[in-house]
Amino acid sequence: SYNTQLGLAYLKQGDRPRAKRKLLTALDLAPDSADVNVAMAYYLEKTGEVSKAQVFYQKALVLAPDSGAQLNNYGTFLCRLGHYKEAERYFLRAANDIHYIHTAAAYENAGLCAAAVPDYSKAKHYYLKALQQDPRRKQALYELAAIELKEKHASKALEYMQKYPALSLTDPNILAMGVEAARQAGKRNIEGEYKQRLARLDRKSTRLNSSHGYRS
């Protein structure tokens, strides 16, 4: 709803009183809307009212029990609280919702949660699932390669980066990791190529920043 969007926008801007006013209005107008309840839950979580937030997250789930979006929202909340195993169950239920568009996000979240345990083999499995669902998931590739490097599997990290060049060659963070993976794997030619690409990306970024013409 319009009030929900406004409330969340105010929250993002740091105007919490106005955010709360808009979200309460939204709740008055549509008390049985899962989206409104989850927005209020998010507001309460951000303002430190975690137990109250949980009530609204759960109400949203009661209102839309099979909604991938609501299952993913609640899983994310549980993961932030450190309830990793429970969160994982909700992410997998979200991914099983055939109508949920953002399946890749649910798998990526499951990976982040598993990595926090840490259960790296499970995390890698979920990051790969996320990339299968959406080959544009930069964070999934970054986290996957980071785990492989941490486990001293530099060649494997490099293999994933080469499998997704649209991500690895355009993102400076992934590319920098690619340089390190190539160095550790002894692939001097790839290391050199990645370094050159990284330098070009850095120059391009500098040009863009300086072309805005802002003056302090």
Side-chain angles (χ1 to χ4, degrees):
S1 74
Y2 181 63
N3 284 303
T4 306
Q5 289 170 353
L6 265 182
L8 291 173
Y10 284 136
L11 182 60
K12 198 173 183 180
Q13 291 164 14
D15 191 341
R16 292 181 173 183
R18 288 174 91 176
K20 189 174 187 181
R21 192 178 306 127
K22 290 297 176 187
L23 291 171
L24 285 172
T25 301
L27 207 56
D28 283 341
L29 292 170
D32 293 331
S33 161
D35 289 340
V36 172
N37 276 275
V38 88
M40 179 55 85
Y42 184 67
Y43 167 84
L44 289 165
E45 185 188 353
K46 293 293 278 186
T47 53
E49 302 275 5
V50 176
S51 55
K52 287 181 186 173
Q54 185 153 14
V55 171
F56 280 95
Y57 276 118
Q58 288 174 336
K59 188 180 176 193
L61 263 182
V62 168
L63 293 164
D66 300 314
S67 160
Q70 301 308 338
L71 290 161
N72 185 53
N73 285 332
Y74 191 51
T76 307
F77 170 71
L78 290 171
C79 197
R80 285 193 291 263
L81 292 186
H83 303 324
Y84 303 126
K85 296 285 185 197
E86 198 182 348
E88 181 188 5
R89 288 203 301 273
Y90 282 94
F91 290 136
L92 294 183
R93 282 177 61 194
N96 283 332
D97 175 8
I98 195 72
H99 301 291
Y100 186 44
I101 305 299
H102 305 294
T103 309
Y107 280 127
E108 189 177 279
N109 284 337
L112 291 166
C113 223
V117 171
D119 184 336
Y120 291 135
S121 64
K122 195 176 266 189
K124 287 192 287 187
H125 168 73
Y126 289 138
Y127 292 140
L128 283 168
K129 294 278 281 182
L131 285 163
Q132 283 170 352
Q133 292 287 327
D134 182 358
R136 298 166 303 172
R137 301 298 300 190
K138 280 186 183 181
Q139 188 170 9
L141 179 61
Y142 179 87
E143 301 291 346
L144 180 61
I147 291 174
E148 295 294 4
L149 270 182
K150 192 178 290 190
E151 294 182 333
K152 309 291 185 205
H153 303 152
S155 295
K156 195 71 182 168
L158 198 57
E159 189 184 309
Y160 287 133
M161 289 182 199
Q162 291 179 304
K163 188 177 178 181
Y164 297 98
L167 302 183
S168 57
L169 300 182
T170 58
D171 184 279
N173 294 320
I174 299 175
L175 200 47
M177 202 189 301
V179 171
E180 180 58 23
R183 187 189 67 75
Q184 287 185 26
K187 307 276 189 182
R188 295 281 175 252
N189 56 336
I190 298 174
E191 182 188 353
E193 182 202 335
Y194 280 10
K195 276 181 175 172
Q196 286 179 345
R197 286 180 177 276
L198 191 57
R200 283 203 295 273
L201 278 182
D202 285 343
R203 283 199 299 274
K204 188 177 177 184
S205 171
T206 306
R207 275 204 310 276
L208 285 172
N209 288 336
S210 61
S211 68
H212 289 313
Y214 295 132
R215 296 287 180 271
S216 56

